[in-house]
Amino acid sequence: PPGCRSSPPTASSKPPQMQNPNGTILQLYHSGRLSAALHAFQSLPSSPAPAPLSAATYAALVAACSRLRSLCQGRLVHHHLIASPDAGLAGNTVLNNHLITMYGRCAAPDSARLVFDEMPAKNPVSWASVIAAHAQNRRSTDALVLFSSMLRAGTAPDQFVLGSAVRACAELGDVVVGRQVHAQSMKSDTGSDLIVQNALVTMYSKSGFVGDGFSLFTRMREKDLISWGSIIAGFAQQGCEMEALQIFREMIAEGLHHPNQFHLGSVFRACGVLDSLEYGEQIHSLSVKYRLDCNSYAGCSLSDMYARCKKLESARKVFYGIDAPDLVSWNSIINACSVEGLLSEAMVLFSDMRDSGLRPDGITVRGLLCACAGCDALQPGRLIHSYLFKVGLDGDVSVCNSLLSMYARCMDFSSAMDVFHETRDRDVVTWNSILTACVLHQHLEVVFELFNLLQRSVPSLDGISLNNVLSASAELGYLEMVKQVHAYTFKVGLVNDTMLSNGLIDTYAKCGSLDDAAKHFEMMGTNCDVFSWSSLIVGYAQSGYARKALDLFARMRNLGIKPNHVTFVGVLTACSRVGFVDEGCYYYSIMEPEHGILPTREHCSCVIDLLARAGRLTEAAKFVDQMPFEPDIVMWKTLLAASKTHNDVEMGKRAAEGVLNIDPSHSAAYVLLCNIYAASGDWNEFARLKKAMRSSGVKKSPGKSWVKLKGELKVFIVEDRSHPESEEIYTMLDIVGMEMIKAGYVPKLPCQYTSFDHTNSDLSDEDMSMEYG
């Protein structure tokens, strides 16, 4: 075939003809010079007729191609065999069996099947070879079909056939058929063969039936390294890491077998998952003893173990000690640096990897993109994006998903949307990533537009998609959409998804529909977890139903459900809303000693709000001073709002300074402090603060509202005239305003304060017309 045969030698470079080609080729093959044997074959003259070769020579040539995994040369030998003057060679069963094995090892199972089907006579080796050719090339279904055909043909399977059939079942995860093959092996004289039993242990372990695999393992009369490796890997892969380490210790204690790189790889991964640094270091010493710490497979797992145990320096040291790090090893150390947020170091490793001659794959790039978070990482993220185009990885949907998430984390929503629109084969992760980005960047209207597209693009949505829609609905108070999502969960069978149910409870509560939240909570029954309880408690608390929140908390404790930090946020909020100061202080005091929950900033904010609402501003200020961390802007704003309510000018000034020290452009602090000065009649300070606002360019953020009309979400912003029906809208607002005045509503303006002396003030008419509150 084209590209396989070498160019014919020229007259000047034509090699001398071999006197005895059979002897030469066989001598080269048996001395281990496989490439030389194939080169000698290619040097044979092809005209006027192919040189005659013996069956033994053809067998040696096919075996050489098989060992070298050289499909192209194997096809040349096969074609030469077909064209041989000895017509009997083409139908030789032994040679055809060699060809089937060669094609299987060279990843050409279809060619192996073609040879098998054209064989005039088949023996058990023929069946074993063709079944193995399909099983080892992930053509497991075809391998099992051939196995069934073999049984129907009346040929008894040997240990190699049974081993291949079991491996095919393991690849498919088909334990039912695997058990049938197991039963077939029990009838056979070869059922107790080590090859079959090792394959069965692997099959049961990989398919999630590690207990059956272990039971078979314990009954095996003899065990080799594969037996131990199969059961250790099985336990490690099925989440039974401690059992994997225990069996590994038994293997070492038995003393009959020395561990290889695959045993060490499994136990290092088990140590990493368990975060068991002590065990890992002991096994590291063992790997040094057997000189396997520099092996790429064991070394990669060891480096990963240290990274999982937060020992990045040890992970680096192991990695740089590997003799020839492969792609997996590089990806592991790059990902370890990325997880720790060490973007610069990950980028240096990425550059070194490319210099070593290895081509990065999608896993490499995804690891780098995961480290890009925040505005400072945007430029490196863009460089990685450019590299993707250069090497053609921009078509990999998983890479595009990571790229989209990177732009969202780096606060570049526009680029995230561009990546989304450019991604051709979107999967559910793509949709979830862009929905999460929209929620993160507060583009909530876009969430609903994408949600409508998503429903038309995929057969059914998952819980993550729906939770994103619920988050947007909660922000907008969009109750109708929440009900639609709730109905959809029944339609697609997600009604028992606990995470989604908790999202429904939380969103119903945030939309003010506490009856629906409580009803769904009760429907969950025993599926309720601490998040379910906490969501409803917080919902009651934030809506002012403090007694219901505290009663639900008492019921939760009586059932023995341990509260979490969110639960106490709800409890403290409930106490704050109704003025249960002593109860709130009590609950705060028992958080750590009774429940092991360290107070967070959020809990402290609740206590400050609790004291401030009750007018105990001095105690609130003292609590701020005694906190184990610096007060944040929320705490200062809480004090500032309470200072306005209780007309405490000094406390208001201190709180406003606290807010402005953190965010000098925070308009709410200026507005609230203006209100305090206006309420106390201090118009000179009021004017000074107003001038400071103007000079620093601080403006109050415009109000925003929305309404759904005829299936479309309409968004309105104060003083916005861009809407095509703005004139009609403002006319209606004027009518509503007049009706409000008729009903007795009087707007509170600064000019209404009787102590205001306009002649001694720097306030403009614009300042006098501004409403604060």
Side-chain angles (χ1 to χ4, degrees), residues 217-521:
F217 173 80
T218 56
R219 296 197 305 270
M220 291 171 64
R221 289 192 297 272
E222 60 173 315
K223 304 177 179 69
D224 62 5
L225 279 173
I226 297 175
S227 315
W228 289 99
S230 298
I231 195 63
I232 290 170
F235 274 119
Q237 290 166 1
Q238 297 300 325
C240 304
E241 289 80 14
M242 282 304 301
E243 289 81 355
L245 293 175
Q246 177 64 31
I247 294 172
F248 178 73
R249 188 168 69 177
E250 290 175 9
M251 183 185 96
I252 299 301
E254 188 182 70
L256 297 177
H257 305 288
H258 292 163
N260 61 24
Q261 65 267 34
F262 303 109
H263 301 95
L264 293 173
S266 294
V267 292
F268 282 138
R269 279 193 293 274
C271 292
V273 172
L274 293 171
D275 195 16
S276 179
L277 182 60
E278 183 180 356
Y279 275 139
E281 289 177 333
Q282 291 176 14
I283 300 171
H284 184 184
S285 301
L286 193 66
S287 71
V288 174
K289 175 182 177 181
Y290 293 112
R291 298 181 180 179
L292 290 170
D293 56 315
C294 296
N295 173 271
S296 62
Y297 186 85
C300 174
S301 300
L302 176 58
S303 177
D304 182 65
M305 182 274 294
Y306 278 123
R308 286 175 179 264
C309 294
K310 308 300 180 186
K311 291 288 184 180
L312 194 55
E313 189 56 42
S314 298
R316 289 194 201 95
K317 188 174 180 180
V318 169
F319 171 77
Y320 286 117
I322 297 174
D323 291 333
D326 57 9
L327 183 61
V328 176
S329 305
W330 282 100
N331 286 346
S332 177
I333 192 64
I334 289 172
N335 188 64
C337 292
S338 299
V339 168
E340 293 298 317
L342 302 174
L343 176 59
S344 298
E345 185 159 351
M347 293 293 285
V348 170
L349 286 165
F350 176 64
S351 178
D352 291 344
M353 173 186 178
R354 293 168 61 196
D355 291 342
S356 72
L358 287 173
R359 179 187 175 89
D361 62 2
I363 297 173
T364 319
V365 177
R366 291 202 301 273
L368 285 172
L369 290 172
C370 286
C372 298
C375 298
D376 293 342
L378 182 58
Q379 184 58 28
R382 291 189 185 280
L383 292 175
I384 298 169
H385 192 176
S386 300
Y387 176 79
L388 297 180
F389 279 106
K390 180 180 178 181
V391 298
L393 284 172
D394 55 306
D396 186 328
V397 66
S398 60
V399 172
C400 290
N401 294 340
S402 298
L403 192 61
L404 193 162
S405 298
M406 180 276 293
Y407 278 122
R409 291 193 306 271
C410 293
M411 312 312 290
D412 188 349
F413 179 74
S414 176
S415 295
M417 284 297 293
D418 289 342
V419 172
F420 172 75
H421 289 303
E422 291 165 5
T423 303
R424 292 184 293 273
D425 301 319
R426 298 171 189 154
D427 58 12
V428 69
V429 178
T430 315
W431 287 96
N432 289 340
S433 298
I434 193 62
L435 288 172
T436 302
C438 290
V439 173
L440 175 66
H441 292 270
Q442 291 293 295
H443 291 277
L444 305 177
E445 308 93 279
V446 182
V447 172
F448 304 119
E449 294 172 9
L450 291 172
F451 179 56
N452 290 330
L453 287 174
L454 176 56
Q455 286 180 291
R456 297 194 294 268
S457 302
V458 298
S460 61
L461 312 183
D462 65 0
I464 298 174
S465 306
L466 297 175
N467 266 318
N468 275 311
V469 177
L470 289 175
S471 297
S473 302
E475 288 286 333
L476 295 175
Y478 195 174
L479 182 59
E480 183 182 343
M481 179 57 73
V482 184
K483 291 183 179 292
Q484 289 180 27
V485 171
H486 194 176
Y488 187 83
T489 63
F490 284 95
K491 179 181 176 181
V492 297
L494 289 172
V495 68
N496 293 321
D497 186 317
T498 303
M499 183 180 72
L500 187 55
S501 292
N502 291 342
L504 281 166
I505 293 171
D506 181 61
T507 311
Y508 271 131
K510 287 179 177 176
C511 291
S513 185
L514 288 166
D515 289 340
D516 286 321
K519 189 184 298 183
H520 191 65
F521 174 82

Side-chain angles (χ1 to χ4, degrees), residues 514 535-550 569-578:
L514 288 166
S535 296
L536 191 55
I537 289 171
V538 171
Y540 277 134
Q542 291 180 340
S543 297
Y545 295 95
R547 180 48 59 192
K548 284 189 176 182
L550 296 176
V569 169
V571 170
L572 294 173
T573 301
C575 294
S576 173
R577 294 297 168 89
V578 292

